[in-house]
Amino acid sequence: MIEHRPFASLGGADHGWLNAKHHFSFAEYHDADRVHWGALRVWNDDTIQAGTGFPPHPHADMEIITYVRQGAITHQDSLGNKGRTVAGDVQVMSAGHGIRHSEYNQEADATQIFQIWIFPESRGGEPSWGTRPFPRDDRSGRFVALASGMPEDTDALPIRARARVLGASMKAGETIEYTFDEAKRYGYLVPAAGKVEVNGIVLEARDGAAAFDEPRLRVHALEDAELVLVDAPGLQRA
C-alpha cells in the first residue's frame, strides 16, 4: 500500500521568520489520520529566514534527524556541543532523558531543512549529538544510509531506533530500487527536489509517499531529483 500525500495537502503555519509544512500532526496542526507512520512521528519541511531560528528548548525520548536542503543550520546544546551543518549534510540528536538545544540560521539567505523525528526503541539514556557530511555525488544513483540504528550501516550517523534515514540523488531517466529487509515496515519518501515516479505514483518535489508492507520501492526520475526516505518499524516503545 502506498498513499500519495501532495505538498498542497500538508498542514503548516507561516510565522514570518519560519514557514513550516507538516507531513504529520505537529504543534497547532492536527490530523487524526496523520499522527505518525509507524515509529516515524514528525517530518517537517521548514524554511528559516536569515538571522532567525529556534531559541533554546527541551526534548526527550526522541531521535531527531535534520537534513539540510539549502543553506546551513547552526546547533548548540546543553551538553556543550556546537556545530554547523550545510546543505546536503545531516545532523542527529538523540534526546535521551533530556536535552536543551537551539537551531539558528546564521547565513545571509534562507535555510531549508527537513526535520524528522523517530521514536527510539526505549526511553531514557544519555543524550547525544553528531553531524557529518554526505556528498551528493557519493549517493548518485543509489540510496545511502544517512542515519541508522541498523548495525550494518557503519557509515551512517547512529540513532537509537531500528530505522534508517536514507538519501539518494538521481539524474532524469535513472531508476533505483530500495528493498525492505522485513515485512510490515513503514516507508516514507519525499523528493527534496525534482519529480519522480514511485511504484507507479508520480510525486512532485516535497510531496510525500507513505508506504506500508511493500517489498520494495522502485523510483524512476522524471527530472533530476534528490530523495530522502525513512524506513521505520511499527510503533513499539519500551
Side-chain angles (χ1 to χ4, degrees), residues 185-219:
R185 297 287 289 186
Y186 291 80
Y188 201 87
L189 184 144
V190 179
K195 183 177 181 178
V196 301
E197 184 179 288
V198 182
N199 290 21
I201 297 171
V202 174
L203 303 182
E204 303 283 349
R206 301 161 78 187
D207 288 0
F212 174 66
D213 200 22
E214 290 281 332
R216 68 186 55 82
L217 297 179
R218 185 176 187 273
V219 185

Side-chain angles (χ1 to χ4, degrees), residues 169-175 195-196 220-225:
S169 59
M170 303 178 68
K171 296 294 186 183
E174 284 188 323
T175 299
K195 183 177 181 178
V196 301
H220 178 70
L222 302 173
E223 302 171 351
D224 289 356

Side-chain angles (χ1 to χ4, degrees), residues 96-107:
H97 58 64
I99 189 172
R100 289 180 62 84
H101 80 134
S102 63
E103 288 179 301
Y104 283 99
N105 173 15
Q106 297 182 346
E107 313 305 309

Side-chain angles (χ1 to χ4, degrees), residues 22-50:
H22 310 309
H23 285 263
F24 300 95
S25 296
F26 189 83
E28 300 302 314
Y29 165 63
H30 181 75
D31 182 336
D33 295 326
R34 297 183 180 181
V35 175
H36 60 88
W37 193 244
L40 172 59
R41 172 62 188 88
V42 167
W43 191 311
N44 287 345
D45 182 328
D46 292 340
T47 300
I48 306 164
Q49 295 304 313

Side-chain angles (χ1 to χ4, degrees), residues 136-137 139-143 168-171 174-176:
R136 287 183 172 95
D137 288 348
R139 44 195 158 101
S140 178
R142 66 189 184 114
F143 282 107
S169 59
M170 303 178 68
K171 296 294 186 183
E174 284 188 323
T175 299
I176 60 174

Side-chain angles (χ1 to χ4, degrees), residues 3 21 25 91 97 108 128 131 154 190:
E3 178 191 349
K21 292 291 186 180
S25 296
Q91 69 173 17
H97 58 64
S128 65
T131 185
T154 55
V190 179

Side-chain angles (χ1 to χ4, degrees), residues 77-178:
D77 63 42
S78 53
L79 300 178
N81 296 309
K82 185 174 183 179
R84 177 175 174 267
T85 304
V86 303
D89 296 348
V90 178
Q91 69 173 17
V92 167
M93 187 173 74
S94 293
H97 58 64
I99 189 172
R100 289 180 62 84
H101 80 134
S102 63
E103 288 179 301
Y104 283 99
N105 173 15
Q106 297 182 346
E107 313 305 309
D109 299 309
T111 283
Q112 295 180 338
I113 64 171
F114 288 153
Q115 190 163 93
I116 296 163
W117 297 10
I118 298 173
F119 287 114
E121 289 191 307
S122 59
R123 299 175 185 270
E126 292 297 318
S128 65
W129 173 85
T131 185
R132 61 156 294 185
F134 289 93
R136 287 183 172 95
D137 288 348
D138 290 354
R139 44 195 158 101
S140 178
R142 66 189 184 114
F143 282 107
V144 170
L146 310 175
S148 177
M150 305 298 196
E152 61 268 31
D153 294 334
T154 55
D155 291 333
L157 287 161
I159 56 174
R160 301 169 188 175
R162 200 167 51 84
R164 288 187 175 106
V165 180
L166 305 112
S169 59
M170 303 178 68
K171 296 294 186 183
E174 284 188 323
T175 299
I176 60 174
E177 290 190 354
Y178 178 76

